[in-house]
Amino acid sequence: MGVPTVIAVDVGGTSIKGTLVDDSGATVRGHDLPTPVADGPAAVVAAIRDVARELADPTVVAVGVVVPGVVEVSTGIARYSANLGWRDVPLGALLAADAGVPVALEHDVRAAGHAERTLGLARDVADCLVVVIGTGVAGVVVAGGAHVRGAIDLAGEIGHVPVHPDGELCACGQRGCTETYASAAAISRRYHALTDRRLSAEEIVAARAADPAAAQVWDDAAVALGLALASYTMLLDPSLVVLAGGLSAAGAALRDPVRDALAARLAWRPAPAVEISPLAGRAGQYGAALFAWRAAGREVGANWTLG
Ligand SMILES: [Zn+2]
């Protein structure tokens, strides 16, 4: 039997990413599947179990799985996800029965924030915000050295801070939410509305130098993030904002216009640093691995090197 490992699974709206991770943070192997959202929640659950089974190994001591939506950590029940279409899925118990080891179920954004605080730029930063930008936009609030969860565990929902009072309708029912302009899905949807062409956010950022519509929706996204971050900065005075999630793969093309949009809204005080996560789109996966190791009774990660 080799060195102990954990299975880390990050369930997103488009793909389910699984990795087998040892206690030094090294990826032993990976297995991904597309998320079969169109086939219904039972198919999504089956695909998650398939990914975990594919990674099963005698060295596995725990499983960590992170999902979007409302998650009940204490019972391992995924209560609700609009993107995945499920309600009250006992995912922790299902995976524990499959794998025969402890399972940690966590919220994907909280997991990404935990990874940023353990391994990434937010390590040892007392006042910061980790913004995860993917299919949606959400953040992890760190104030005075503590992760702020809020009264009903909803702190950090910066994606639903309204930035345009009479703006576009958000899937949440409000108008003008940050997420309606700045999520990868919103950028793609708004570009389609302008041009009738379907491009991913990644293709849009690449096209923006030569394509005015691409430049417009990208700029609108940066402005929306800048406005939301200005409100956050005025309330909580962070020293750092970390941009994480799939859209952060755009690097400086995201960081620089967000920095500018934020600075433009802060006339009398300095802006906090705005940086791209070194974990890139893998923050959720790293978080799943850290929570899995915790479920196995080990606090690891402090000396992990990222690769
Ligand atoms: Zn909203």
Side-chain angles (χ1 to χ4, degrees):
M1 194 159 142
V3 294
T5 62
V6 295
I7 294 171
V9 184
D10 183 6
V11 181
T14 49
S15 64
I16 300 164
K17 296 183 185 122
T19 41
L20 196 62
V21 180
D22 73 16
D23 64 0
S24 74
T27 297
V28 178
R29 57 194 171 90
H31 183 67
D32 297 353
L33 283 179
T35 311
V37 174
D39 299 336
V44 175
V45 173
I48 294 167
R49 296 173 82 175
D50 284 349
V51 166
R53 281 195 200 107
E54 178 64 32
L55 293 169
D57 189 276
T59 62
V60 170
V61 294
V63 176
V65 56
V66 303
V67 302
V70 180
V71 177
E72 201 170 270
V73 171
S74 59
T75 57
I77 295 175
R79 284 292 175 201
Y80 174 72
S81 167
N83 285 332
L84 302 179
W86 67 29
R87 273 183 192 282
D88 301 329
V89 179
L91 202 52
L94 290 171
L95 292 170
D98 289 348
V101 293
V103 174
L105 176 71
E106 253 293 355
H107 184 250
D108 56 354
V109 173
R110 280 202 296 263
H114 181 61
E116 291 293 343
R117 293 187 70 200
T118 308
L119 317 166
L121 292 175
R123 198 169 162 174
D124 301 325
V125 178
D127 293 279
C128 66
L129 174 70
V130 178
V131 191
V132 181
I133 311 170
T135 311
V137 177
V140 170
V141 173
V142 180
H147 171 199
V148 177
R149 286 176 176 263
I152 55 167
D153 224 13
L154 285 178
E157 291 287 354
I158 195 166
H160 301 286
V161 169
V163 288
H164 298 302
D166 299 311
E168 295 174 17
L169 193 62
C170 181
C172 78
Q174 297 180 164
R175 279 197 179 276
C177 293
T178 308
E179 179 171 305
T180 313
Y181 300 88
S183 73
I187 290 166
S188 186
R189 174 182 52 73
R190 297 186 76 245
Y191 181 81
H192 179 253
L194 280 177
T195 63
D196 216 27
R197 292 198 300 276
R198 289 202 185 277
L199 294 184
S200 67
E202 194 179 359
E203 291 164 331
I204 290 164
V205 66
R208 75 197 192 290
D211 179 342
Q216 181 64 53
V217 297
W218 192 257
D219 187 55
D220 289 349
V223 166
L225 287 167
L227 282 164
L229 292 175
S231 296
Y232 183 91
T233 300
M234 291 303 185
L235 281 175
L236 287 165
D237 187 22
S239 61
L240 174 67
V241 174
V242 180
L243 304 177
L247 203 69
S248 70
L254 178 68
R255 182 197 63 201
D256 293 351
V258 170
R259 271 183 186 165
D260 292 347
L262 172 57
R265 294 284 164 175
L266 299 173
W268 54 267
R269 59 149 294 158
V274 177
E275 300 293 351
I276 297 288
S277 164
L279 308 178
R282 300 188 63 205
Q285 262 178 292
Y286 276 111
L290 293 173
F291 283 122
W293 278 113
R294 182 177 285 178
R298 301 261 315 266
E299 287 297 328
V300 297
N303 53 4
W304 285 9
T305 49
L306 305 174

